[in-house]
């Protein structure tokens, strides 16, 4: 077979694999679902390409072991880690690397028991549910608490290590959490670090990106901001980002839900007093629906901010 023909056959095989798995549809959906996060999307495309070429190499008789697929997602809350994990499971399933498009999401409490002999059964039960799919462990660093010699998290880690090494055909594990804490976790647990091939960092969203996310969330529910409301919501985002427990897209969703409550109450009162509701009234979030949030309350502002005002 000539080099040209061989190249043509390889190209056709790649196209067939991509077309049959419909990977581009999943990646396009990820693009639509997630605002920004370009480095994350690039890494997911790279991993997808690796898996497609791995299949092609196997078809060509180029022996190689199964690629290591365990991953670590790092970043602040609300930056899309769980969403990407679900899309990753879809891709892995379509390409035949896991049996089911199935994600089991857990935390320490689901894996670690409170007394002797309780942890192993809990961890094994979670693994039983996850086999054939993907196990997503959020805030994975809480599994290891070196300050407590009697903590049972080490037992869960030992079971996970064994499964991640010996059951790679049956399970993909994604560990997630804050980057600095995950770095410490891997430093203290080198065996876990050696089993995780792909580390993906999820950057924080900017206020402009969070505003886009808010607009997308509203649009999905057939709501829109008025111009004044959009300006107010951008200010809401900036103020909320300065507060404790800010969770990016999750906090934006909570802000949107509260604005919808205020909108509903406002429209209900208008209808109750005789106003004929219009489609515009039912759809539009106005500035007052945003500005009634406690983040705009003078008394809720930090003392330093009040003094500077």
């Amino acid at each position: 077979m000539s080099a040209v023909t061989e190249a043509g056959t390889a190209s056709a095989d790649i196209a067939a694999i991509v077309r049959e798995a419909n990977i581009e549809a999943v990646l396009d959906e990820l693009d639509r679902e997630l605002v920004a996060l370009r480095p994350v999307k690039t890494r997911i495309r790279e991993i997808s390409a690796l898996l497609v070429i791995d299949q092609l190499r196997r078809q060509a008789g180029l022996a190689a072991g199964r690629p290591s697929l365990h991953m670590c997602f790092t970043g602040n809350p609300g930056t899309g880690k769980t969403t990407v994990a679900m899309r990753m499971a879809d891709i892995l399933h379509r390409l035949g690397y896991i049996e089911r498009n199935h994600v089991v999401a857990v935390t320490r409490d689901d894996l670690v028991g409170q007394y002797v002999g309780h942890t192993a059964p809990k961890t094994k039960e979670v693994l039983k549910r996850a086999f054939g799919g993907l196990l997503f462990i959020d805030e994975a660093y809480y599994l290891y608490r070196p300050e407590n010699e009697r903590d049972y998290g080490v037992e869960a880690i030992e079971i996970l290590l064994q499964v991640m090494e010996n059951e790679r055909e049956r399970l993909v594990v994604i560990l997630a959490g804050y980057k600095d804490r995950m770095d410490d976790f891997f430093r203290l647990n080198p065996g876990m670090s050696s089993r995780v091939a792909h580390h993906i960092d999820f950057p924080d969203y900017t206020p402009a990106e969070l505003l886009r996310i808010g607009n997308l969330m509203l649009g999905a529910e057939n709501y829109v901001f008025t111009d004044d409301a959009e300006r107010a919501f951008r200010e809401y985002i900036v103020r909320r980002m300065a507060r404790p427990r800010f969770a990016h897209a999750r906090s934006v969703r909570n802000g949107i839900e509260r604005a919808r409550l205020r909108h509903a109450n406002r429209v209900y009162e208008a209808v109750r007093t005789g106003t004929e509701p219009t489609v515009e009234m039912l759809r539009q979030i106005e500035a007052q629906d945003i500005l009634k949030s406690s983040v705009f309350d003078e008394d809720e502002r930090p003392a330093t901010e009040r003094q500077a005002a």
Side-chain angles (χ1 to χ4, degrees):
M1 182 180 288
S2 70
V4 173
T5 305
E6 288 177 354
T9 300
S11 177
D13 287 346
I14 290 175
I17 293 170
V18 172
R19 183 171 59 252
E20 183 177 344
N22 204 14
I23 298 303
E24 288 300 321
V26 182
L27 295 173
D28 289 345
E29 186 175 356
L30 188 63
D31 254 339
R32 290 193 301 270
E33 282 188 4
L34 291 181
V35 169
L37 297 182
R38 185 56 51 193
V40 174
K41 294 173 184 177
T42 297
R43 285 299 306 279
I44 298 303
R45 283 188 174 273
E46 290 172 349
I47 293 170
S48 301
L50 169 69
L51 300 181
V52 169
I53 298 305
D54 177 63
Q55 285 200 350
L56 192 65
R57 285 171 52 84
R58 281 187 279 146
Q59 289 178 10
L62 299 173
R66 173 187 169 102
S68 179
L69 297 173
H70 302 311
M71 306 177 195
C72 177
F73 290 177
T74 54
N76 285 319
T79 49
K81 297 185 293 296
T82 304
T83 299
V84 172
M86 291 189 292
R87 293 294 156 257
M88 197 71 246
D90 197 358
I91 291 170
L92 294 172
H93 173 63
R94 287 169 184 258
L95 289 172
Y97 288 90
I98 56 177
E99 295 175 7
R100 300 181 290 160
N101 181 8
H102 176 63
V103 177
V104 173
V106 298
T107 63
R108 172 192 163 91
D109 289 344
D110 300 294
L111 298 166
V112 181
Q114 297 180 342
Y115 51 85
V116 174
H118 193 206
T119 294
K122 286 189 75 171
T123 301
K124 290 176 181 178
E125 177 59 31
V126 167
L127 290 168
K128 181 180 177 181
R129 287 193 285 120
F131 275 140
L134 188 151
L135 176 63
F136 181 82
I137 306 177
D138 200 12
E139 298 182 317
Y141 38 76
Y142 282 134
L143 291 175
Y144 187 69
R145 291 178 170 171
E147 73 281 0
N148 185 354
E149 295 180 358
R150 300 183 61 184
D151 185 71
Y152 304 118
V154 173
E155 186 177 358
I157 291 172
E158 290 173 353
I159 295 170
L160 285 168
L161 285 172
Q162 184 178 8
V163 169
M164 289 169 71
E165 182 63 28
N166 300 331
E167 303 282 358
R168 288 185 294 171
E169 302 286 334
R170 300 180 64 196
L171 183 69
V172 171
V173 176
I174 296 180
L175 309 173
Y178 293 108
K179 187 178 190 315
D180 56 345
R181 297 187 188 181
M182 288 306 302
D183 287 344
D184 287 342
F185 175 76
F186 287 129
R187 180 175 54 80
L188 295 168
N189 296 276
M192 186 68 78
S193 178
S194 67
R195 287 164 174 77
V196 175
H198 306 285
H199 293 257
I200 303 178
D201 189 46
F202 288 64
D204 288 349
Y205 288 112
T206 66
E209 290 166 350
L210 290 169
L211 182 60
R212 285 175 58 198
I213 289 170
N215 274 303
L216 287 172
M217 289 175 177
L218 277 182
E221 301 296 334
N222 287 310
Y223 286 87
V224 293
F225 283 130
T226 64
D227 290 344
D228 286 346
E230 186 170 282
R231 284 190 287 271
F233 196 69
R234 182 183 177 90
E235 176 63 18
Y236 168 88
I237 289 169
V238 171
R239 288 173 178 246
R240 183 64 187 85
M241 289 177 79
R243 289 190 163 208
R245 297 183 297 279
F246 177 69
H248 288 272
R250 205 173 302 156
S251 292
V252 168
R253 181 174 296 282
N254 289 340
I256 291 289
E257 290 303 314
R258 293 186 183 106
R260 287 179 60 187
L261 285 173
R262 298 185 197 102
H263 162 269
N265 187 61
R266 175 173 57 78
V267 174
Y268 173 79
E269 287 300 318
V271 172
R272 191 175 65 84
T273 55
T275 301
E276 188 70 25
T278 64
V279 172
E280 185 178 81
M281 283 176 60
L282 296 171
R283 292 188 69 225
Q284 284 189 343
I285 301 293
E286 296 185 358
Q288 60 183 303
D289 303 323
I290 308 297
L291 294 171
K292 289 182 180 178
S293 167
S294 64
V295 302
F296 295 99
D297 189 334
E298 181 74 20
D299 294 333
E300 292 290 330
R301 292 160 61 191
T304 54
E305 184 182 338
R306 292 200 303 271
Q307 290 168 4

